[in-house]
Amino acid sequence: MATPSTPAPRSAPNPDRRSERARQAILDAALELCGEQLYAGLTMEGIAKRAGVGKQTIYRWWPSKAAILLEAIEERGRSTLDFPDTGNLEADLRTQMTQVAQAFASPLFAAYSKGLIAAAQSDPDIAKAVVDSIIKPRVDLCIERLTKAQAAGELRQDIDLADLVELLYAPLYYRLLLHTRPVTQSQVDTILNLALTGATK
Amino acid sequence: MATPSTPAPRSAPNPDRRSERARQAILDAALELCGEQLYAGLTMEGIAKRAGVGKQTIYRWWPSKAAILLEAIEERGRSTLDFPDTGNLEADLRTQMTQVAQAFASPLFAAYSKGLIAAAQSDPDIAKAVVDSIIKPRVDLCIERLTKAQAAGELRQDIDLADLVELLYAPLYYRLLLHTRPVTQSQVDTILNLALTGATK
């Protein structure tokens, strides 16, 4: 990136900026191709061709197609890292879970279920990378918000907050991965109603 | 099967019984191999070899390896079709969900997540078959039991029972497919506590 003290002259191409453009093109290509074809058919060569870069460029930055998809989902899924704190837990969960539901419903995220999570079933390294890079950061943010709510008396004192996170988000994954019904906004409303109030009240 | 009125003489091999033995050997072989290797490496030829039958025998009965696994999981997962009705909803859910948790924790069922559900992410026909043959029959039985509980006043009148089934079982699938924590009996207890009583009570 150019700094104010040493501006790059317009005529000289900036290699960092060019690299960043190539990196973004590769992430886009991987997501697009993963949506269009079987994950088994996705190759480094195909991604390079679609991105308009040489295969060596890709291998210099990533060891595997799963690594590219992981970075793509991490970057393009940043919206689901916003965890608001308005002081109203239910409203904040609704906002955050709606972002997740929208991501799950987007064709761009087919690469998440079809590529990464499917591959994770046979490959413990991919499974670990998905948990460490995608799931854990979001679970931690949610637990942080739930901890404040528990301290404020909005939640029962005797519940484990990691278990509550699981109960809230698991139904979204259930529909994404089992293809029973589409993930929707109304599902978010239903989950919150049931999980917060309970089925027996 | 031999009937009391026409017992098959011991010396004459019964072709139905022989077929049934071959069928069971093929289902076992498919489950074993799926646990041992990548799903992509599972072949009809490998299953035939392990089962000690000819490849043609397999193709005569099943069109694909997914079809074999589907039948194997359906048959070997029969225990999860028992839905007790003792008059106490929470106890009955605990019994049934414990059966599911035990199945998910069994290496035999690796074929369910690693084979069928992973393949379903790229193949809508497999996804539909999993829902129709495995998920829907169990959801229907659970809804039947929940309907009685709702009529008996054990559940809120204003909730959708299909949504409640999702909330109860989704966390088991979440751990099975995302590999965050092992599926355990204590998870069943936690789910029931949270989902029935609610997190805010």
Side-chain angles (χ1 to χ4, degrees):
Chain A
M1 232 192 316
T3 64
S5 54
T6 56
R10 287 221 160 216
S11 52
N14 181 324
D16 286 350
R17 205 174 290 160
R18 208 173 48 203
S19 289
E20 178 56 20
R21 267 203 308 272
R23 197 178 70 86
Q24 293 296 338
I26 291 163
L27 298 184
D28 285 339
L31 290 174
E32 278 171 30
L33 285 170
C34 197
E36 290 166 20
Q37 63 191 25
L38 292 178
Y39 178 68
L42 184 68
T43 62
M44 297 295 247
E45 200 143 23
I47 296 171
K49 202 174 159 192
R50 174 72 65 100
V53 302
K55 210 164 71 169
Q56 284 321 309
T57 304
I58 297 198
Y59 278 112
R60 199 162 58 231
W61 292 335
W62 295 280
S64 66
K65 62 183 184 179
I68 302 177
L69 289 180
L70 198 69
E71 188 167 324
I73 294 292
E74 261 188 278
E75 281 213 11
R76 304 293 193 269
R78 291 252 167 89
S79 68
T80 61
L81 274 171
D82 284 338
F83 220 110
D85 181 0
T86 67
N88 178 332
L89 176 67
E90 185 167 346
D92 293 346
L93 285 171
R94 194 178 313 273
T95 303
Q96 208 283 331
M97 290 168 71
T98 299
Q99 305 267 40
V100 174
Q102 281 167 354
F104 281 7
S106 147
L108 191 76
F109 275 78
Y112 185 37
S113 52
K114 200 176 143 179
L116 291 174
I117 301 179
Q121 304 315 313
S122 280
D123 186 329
D125 291 339
I126 298 180
K128 187 175 180 318
V130 168
V131 171
D132 291 349
S133 309
I134 299 178
I135 298 173
K136 194 172 176 306
R138 287 161 178 81
V139 168
D140 288 348
L141 284 172
C142 189
I143 288 179
E144 206 177 292
R145 180 69 190 85
L146 295 177
T147 303
K148 286 187 203 165
Q150 203 172 33
E154 285 189 284
L155 290 174
R156 282 163 56 188
Q157 300 301 313
D158 66 334
I159 58 174
D160 181 276
L161 299 179
D163 292 334
L164 178 55
V165 175
E166 211 173 69
L167 191 75
L168 292 169
Y169 290 85
L172 299 174
Y173 274 100
Y174 181 94
R175 291 200 193 173
L176 176 73
L177 299 174
L178 297 181
H179 307 269
T180 49
R181 293 190 266 177
V183 178
T184 59
Q185 172 64 48
S186 75
Q187 191 194 3
V188 171
D189 297 333
T190 303
I191 295 167
L192 286 171
N193 176 6
L194 279 173
L196 296 181
T197 312
T200 58
K201 213 169 195 174
Chain B
M1 233 191 319
T3 64
S5 55
T6 57
R10 286 224 161 211
S11 54
N14 179 325
D16 286 348
R17 204 174 291 163
R18 208 174 46 204
S19 289
E20 179 55 19
R21 265 203 310 271
R23 196 178 71 86
Q24 294 295 339
I26 292 163
L27 298 184
D28 284 339
L31 289 175
E32 278 170 30
L33 286 170
C34 197
E36 289 166 20
Q37 62 189 28
L38 292 178
Y39 178 69
L42 184 68
T43 61
M44 296 295 247
E45 201 143 23
I47 297 170
K49 202 173 159 193
R50 174 72 64 102
V53 303
K55 209 164 71 169
Q56 286 320 308
T57 305
I58 296 199
Y59 278 113
R60 197 163 60 232
W61 290 336
W62 296 279
S64 66
K65 62 184 183 179
I68 302 176
L69 288 180
L70 198 70
E71 190 167 322
I73 295 291
E74 262 187 277
E75 280 212 13
R76 303 294 192 269
R78 290 253 168 89
S79 68
T80 62
L81 273 171
D82 283 339
F83 220 112
D85 182 0
T86 66
N88 178 331
L89 176 66
E90 186 169 345
D92 292 347
L93 284 171
R94 195 178 313 273
T95 303
Q96 207 283 333
M97 289 169 71
T98 298
Q99 305 266 40
V100 174
Q102 282 166 355
F104 281 6
S106 148
L108 191 75
F109 275 78
Y112 184 36
S113 52
K114 199 175 144 177
L116 291 174
I117 300 180
Q121 305 313 314
S122 281
D123 186 329
D125 290 341
I126 297 180
K128 189 177 179 317
V130 168
V131 171
D132 291 349
S133 308
I134 298 178
I135 298 172
K136 196 173 175 307
R138 287 161 178 82
V139 168
D140 288 348
L141 283 171
C142 188
I143 289 179
E144 207 177 290
R145 181 66 190 85
L146 294 177
T147 303
K148 286 187 203 164
Q150 202 171 34
E154 284 189 285
L155 290 174
R156 281 163 57 188
Q157 299 301 310
D158 66 334
I159 59 175
D160 182 276
L161 299 179
D163 293 333
L164 179 55
V165 174
E166 212 173 69
L167 191 75
L168 293 169
Y169 290 85
L172 299 174
Y173 274 101
Y174 181 93
R175 292 200 193 173
L176 177 73
L177 298 174
L178 297 181
H179 308 268
T180 49
R181 292 190 267 177
V183 178
T184 58
Q185 172 64 49
S186 76
Q187 192 193 5
V188 171
D189 296 333
T190 303
I191 296 167
L192 286 171
N193 176 7
L194 279 174
L196 296 181
T197 312
T200 60
K201 214 172 196 172

